[in-house]
Amino acid sequence: MAIGNYLKFNNTIFPNPVSATMTSKTLENVQVSEAGSDLVVMVRPSKKAWSLSFNLTSRTKDILKALCLEESVTMSYMGTNYTVRVRDYNERLIPNSEWIARTDGLFECSVKVTEY
């Protein structure tokens, strides 16, 4: 059974990623007391970041590239909404894909997405 499309950026549906890696990091401020004990203040539990790779048409590639210029983006991923920033855009033209009709080629694209 196919899971269908489960990724949107600002209500634009994207194809399912070819590769999706999620990391979760707890942010803390750590100070050391005079006695040498760690004094830990948890700032934020479970801040998420994703590395996503896609196979995209030239049109969808341009949309993804433009998202990297926005300060924040709403991402709906697997049924959960996040406010994120999209950065570190990379693209690679898939060889001979420029001959496909109605597109300027197919591209392997990747981005890093970080939760605010």
Side-chain angles (χ1 to χ4, degrees):
M1 176 167 112
I3 60 174
N5 291 89
Y6 58 88
L7 177 64
K8 292 182 193 176
F9 288 108
N10 290 345
N11 290 320
T12 299
I13 297 173
F14 274 74
N16 294 339
V18 173
S19 171
T21 304
M22 192 272 292
T23 58
S24 180
K25 188 177 199 179
T26 298
L27 303 178
E28 351 179 89
N29 286 330
V30 180
Q31 307 265 334
V32 179
S33 71
E34 288 181 18
S37 300
D38 284 348
L39 305 172
V40 179
V41 176
M42 184 181 301
V43 176
R44 182 167 176 196
S46 189
K47 181 176 180 175
K48 294 175 178 56
W50 296 264
S51 293
L52 303 173
S53 297
F54 303 92
N55 289 334
L56 301 175
T57 64
S58 57
R59 182 183 158 283
T60 311
K61 164 195 75 100
D62 292 340
I63 294 169
L64 183 63
K65 194 174 188 177
L67 290 171
C68 294
L69 302 175
E70 295 187 28
E71 184 177 331
S72 70
V73 173
T74 300
M75 179 178 78
S76 177
Y77 185 61
M78 298 177 81
T80 303
N81 291 327
Y82 302 92
T83 300
V84 298
R85 63 183 177 272
V86 182
R87 301 289 186 266
D88 299 339
Y89 174 84
N90 288 295
E91 71 177 53
R92 184 179 80 81
L93 178 66
I94 296 173
N96 300 315
S97 66
E98 66 274 11
W99 299 106
I100 296 174
R102 293 185 289 213
T103 184
D104 292 331
L106 299 177
F107 296 82
E108 292 177 359
C109 300
S110 64
V111 291
K112 302 252 190 265
V113 178
T114 305
E115 183 180 26
Y116 269 103

